[in-house]
Amino acid sequence: MEEKKNEIKLKNVSSISPHNEAIYEVGKKMLADSIEVGRDFSKFMINLSTSAIPIYITLIGFLSLQKLQTILLIIPPISFLVSSVLFVFAYLPKQGKYSLDVIDEIESAISRSITSRNKFIYSGFITFIFAIIFSIILMTQYDKHSADSKMQYEVITMAIPDTLSLNDAQNKIGQFKSKINSLTGNKDIIFKEFKTNKGIIFTAFLK
Amino acid sequence: MRNEKLEIKCPLCSKSHTYNLEISRTIIRYFCGTYGPWYDKEFTRLFSCPVKGEKFQATFILSESRENLIDSIEIK
């Protein structure tokens, strides 16, 4: 059985078929281009990530999103910057020693180079996608922010003087709330209390 | 890893060349102890003619079984 296992039977010998020759050429090209493809992609992504920063800042200004005054606004440009730095690391030439006489050494050097470059490319690309998605979310917040600022409210107030006992005040507030809720059908009401010198003004904001 | 020699009559120069094949196999041991039958598997590889320096293709057959799988064949 051991002999059968290692026996090699030659079936057919011929010149390379056109199909195999084409595949061989494609394989040769893929191997030769394997390093350049990653570098070209990194170069393209460095330009894209860095140019995304001024575009983002322009859009923020255009949509007046700076009025939101939130730290979230600086997350996308920082992410774009991090992404472009990661692509720079991917683009940088890799150090390595190999002898051109030893095929295995060249193969492992190519493999090492592609593996380390891919790590930076993947992390840079994920950061870039994150920045894009985050920017889109922030941009869509603009509509909400703008709509909120233009929102018209109907205000109904009720004064509760200090002279009223706590139980009476609570009953009065309860009655007020239930009346408002029954009138509006429990939709979009904001209740707020404002303290004054002479008591509390209980207010219902209806959208 | 096992080295095997393969002698091929070159279609380009009509001389016989000997190539070293490095055959890597995965051996699987089953607890149930049942071993599958051996079957033939065809491999087509490109070989380089040392005289003309051009490539030709050869198809050869190796035996494989469920517990003795061929991983790779490299021509040295």
Side-chain angles (χ1 to χ4, degrees), chain A residues 1 9 11-12 14 20 24, chain B residues 38 42 55 57 59 61:
Chain A
M1 189 57 75
K9 285 179 261 176
K11 191 185 174 189
N12 180 28
S14 63
N20 284 356
Y24 175 70
Chain B
W38 287 85
E42 277 187 19
K55 287 192 181 294
Q57 69 178 41
T59 306
I61 297 166

Side-chain angles (χ1 to χ4, degrees), chain A:
Chain A
M1 189 57 75
E2 191 68 21
E3 272 177 25
K4 180 178 166 53
K5 187 181 91 175
N6 296 314
E7 188 188 345
I8 304 174
K9 285 179 261 176
L10 196 62
K11 191 185 174 189
N12 180 28
V13 182
S14 63
S15 54
I16 306 175
S17 65
H19 176 78
N20 284 356
E21 195 167 358
I23 290 189
Y24 175 70
E25 288 303 322
V26 171
K28 224 161 78 168
K29 195 173 180 315
M30 274 172 70
L31 185 67
D33 292 350
S34 55
I35 292 179
E36 276 312 304
V37 166
R39 286 199 86 198
D40 286 347
F41 180 72
S42 305
K43 197 175 168 184
F44 171 73
M45 287 307 288
I46 291 166
N47 291 334
L48 195 68
S49 312
T50 41
S51 57
I53 299 170
I55 292 171
Y56 171 80
I57 290 167
T58 314
L59 278 174
I60 289 290
F62 182 70
L63 296 173
S64 313
L65 269 179
Q66 63 268 41
K67 283 179 194 164
L68 287 174
Q69 285 186 340
T70 166
I71 197 140
L72 297 175
L73 283 176
I74 61 162
I75 292 175
I78 288 173
S79 305
F80 283 128
L81 196 68
V82 170
S83 149
S84 98
V85 168
L86 286 167
F87 283 117
V88 167
F89 281 127
Y91 185 69
L92 286 176
K94 301 281 175 289
Q95 250 188 347
K97 272 185 183 176
Y98 55 87
S99 163
L100 284 177
D101 297 331
V102 187
I103 298 295
D104 288 345
E105 273 188 22
I106 301 170
E107 268 181 348
S108 61
I110 292 170
S111 170
R112 268 200 312 273
S113 167
I114 291 171
T115 310
S116 71
R117 176 163 290 131
N118 277 358
K119 276 180 199 165
F120 287 116
I121 287 176
Y122 285 133
S123 27
F125 195 68
I126 288 167
T127 319
F128 180 78
I129 293 291
F130 165 78
I132 291 281
I133 291 170
F134 205 90
S135 307
I136 292 169
I137 291 169
L138 277 176
M139 301 290 170
T140 49
Q141 285 298 306
Y142 165 73
D143 284 339
K144 203 182 162 192
H145 171 71
S146 164
D148 281 350
S149 62
K150 289 173 190 163
M151 187 74 77
Q152 298 285 318
Y153 286 97
E154 210 174 310
V155 182
I156 303 168
T157 55
M158 178 187 67
I160 300 166
D162 276 346
T163 49
L164 221 62
S165 69
L166 186 66
N167 274 343
D168 287 346
Q170 280 175 346
N171 284 337
K172 214 171 173 184
I173 290 169
Q175 283 168 7
F176 178 74
K177 275 186 176 178
S178 59
K179 198 170 182 181
I180 298 285
N181 283 334
S182 65
L183 282 172
T184 57
N186 295 332
K187 277 183 183 174
D188 296 329
I189 314 163
I190 303 161
F191 292 106
K192 278 198 175 175
E193 291 176 19
F194 300 99
K195 285 185 181 173
T196 63
N197 294 336
K198 293 179 181 176
I200 295 167
I201 293 173
F202 200 79
T203 312
F205 294 92
L206 311 172
K207 280 187 184 174

Side-chain angles (χ1 to χ4, degrees), chain B residues 22-61:
Chain B
E22 208 173 82
I23 304 164
S24 166
R25 287 174 183 268
T26 296
I27 312 289
I28 304 164
R29 297 278 176 230
Y30 292 98
F31 285 117
C32 54
T34 54
Y35 296 104
W38 287 85
Y39 50 87
D40 289 344
K41 199 172 176 182
E42 277 187 19
F43 297 91
T44 301
R45 293 287 184 274
L46 300 185
F47 294 86
S48 187
C49 170
V51 178
K52 289 204 167 182
E54 289 171 23
K55 287 192 181 294
F56 63 91
Q57 69 178 41
T59 306
F60 50 89
I61 297 166

